């Protein structure tokens, strides 16, 4: 019983820590990262457009690895 409770607590804490804050870009899984960032920007069409242009610009420059772990705002700033 103690083992089950401990595992449940670990799973719950992992969920809490992974879902905090804005989603970040994962260079090893670009498509899913872009979807997650797009969903977080769903209410802000202007920022979603800025992110799309910034991502495209940096992708064309070959800077995918530099975007790894960055939020939408950080990627937009990188592209300026």
């Amino acid at each position: 019983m103690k083992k089950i409770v401990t595992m449940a607590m670990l799973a719950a804490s992992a969920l809490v820590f992974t879902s905090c804050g804005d989603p970040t870009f994962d260079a090893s899984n670009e498509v899913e990262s872009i979807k997650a960032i797009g969903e977080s920007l769903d209410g802000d069409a202007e920022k979603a457009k800025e992110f799309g242009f910034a991502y495209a610009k940096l992708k064309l420059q070959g800077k995918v690895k530099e975007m790894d772990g960055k939020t939408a705002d950080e990627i937009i700033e990188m592209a300026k």
Side-chain angles (χ1 to χ4, degrees):
M1 179 70 172
K2 185 177 179 181
K3 187 175 183 179
I4 294 171
V5 172
T6 303
M7 293 301 286
M9 288 175 57
L10 287 173
S13 64
L15 179 63
V16 168
F17 287 119
T18 58
S19 63
C20 291
D22 294 330
T24 58
F25 183 77
D26 181 7
S28 65
N29 196 357
E30 291 181 52
V31 175
E32 291 300 318
S33 296
I34 292 170
K35 286 180 184 178
I37 291 172
E39 288 172 3
S40 74
L41 299 174
D42 194 31
D44 191 349
E46 186 63 33
K47 187 175 266 191
K49 185 172 88 172
E50 282 182 67
F51 170 74
F53 284 124
Y55 169 76
K57 179 180 180 180
L58 294 171
K59 173 97 172 164
L60 288 172
Q61 293 175 354
K63 296 185 177 181
V64 173
K65 289 186 180 187
E66 286 88 346
M67 290 188 284
D68 193 38
K70 306 275 192 242
T71 64
D73 291 331
E74 293 170 329
I75 291 172
I76 291 168
E77 284 300 313
M78 283 177 64
K80 290 183 178 180

